[in-house]
Amino acid sequence: MMSIIQIFTAFLAALGFAMLYNVRGIKLLYAAIGGLLSWSVNLLAGYWLHHEAFQFFIAAFSVTIYAEICARINKTPTTTFLPASIIPLVPGGALYYSMQYAVNSMLDEFLSRSLYTASLAIAIAAGILLASSIWKVWLTALNFLESGLKRYK
């Protein structure tokens, strides 16, 4: 039951951020579904992986592929869907506690929490970067194959 509440909340968070970014029409629904997808994948990856950074990496990778597909379907930039879809993964709580430890001069806890927050942020960035790169290579290969086939017709 808790997972369903988390997934629904991720949907609403992505919907709110998509509205904030002036995403309109059916694209708003796609962006919100991206948020739902990102948190669902994160929760599912938690059943098999015990390192949270890997969970966030897989979730960011999958939602980036989803955003690329939505961008091709709707003929819009990927950035229409990706920022709102990634919002549920942003480690805002960990960042908050890092700053709280810094303000209270708790250096050990601050360093520990900051490294944890940085590892999640790096995992998200790496997932986006790898998925975007693979997607671009895939599209380039498809275009190369299509142009090669046209020459022989």
Side-chain angles (χ1 to χ4, degrees):
M1 183 67 183
M2 192 65 178
S3 296
I4 293 172
I5 292 172
Q6 288 180 16
I7 292 169
F8 181 68
T9 307
F11 176 84
L12 291 178
L15 181 69
F17 269 88
M19 291 170 74
L20 188 67
Y21 294 143
N22 283 330
V23 178
R24 299 194 180 166
I26 193 71
K27 297 170 194 165
L28 190 64
L29 182 62
Y30 284 135
I33 290 173
L36 182 147
L37 177 71
S38 68
W39 197 251
S40 299
V41 169
N42 186 32
L43 290 176
L44 278 175
Y47 288 116
W48 295 290
L49 302 171
H50 298 292
H51 196 278
E52 279 191 78
F54 289 130
Q55 296 172 21
F56 277 70
F57 173 80
I58 290 173
F61 183 89
S62 61
V63 81
T64 303
I65 295 294
Y66 169 79
E68 293 280 359
I69 292 170
C70 286
R72 297 300 176 266
I73 291 172
N74 292 297
K75 298 182 179 12
T76 56
T78 306
T79 53
T80 303
F81 306 104
L82 190 58
S85 299
I86 290 291
I87 283 297
L89 296 176
V90 171
L95 184 61
Y96 171 79
Y97 288 114
S98 297
M99 292 300 107
Q100 185 181 28
Y101 292 140
V103 169
N104 292 331
S105 301
M106 302 167 72
L107 187 60
D108 290 338
E109 290 86 359
F110 166 70
L111 289 175
S112 171
R113 185 56 74 164
S114 295
L115 287 175
Y116 171 74
T117 305
S119 71
L120 294 183
I122 291 169
I124 292 169
I128 292 170
L129 183 67
L130 184 65
S132 293
S133 299
I134 289 173
W135 185 261
K136 300 258 186 281
V137 168
W138 172 256
L139 288 180
T140 303
L142 280 180
N143 288 337
F144 178 76
L145 288 175
E146 284 180 8
S147 66
L149 290 176
K150 287 179 183 174
R151 273 190 233 153
Y152 293 110
K153 284 186 177 181

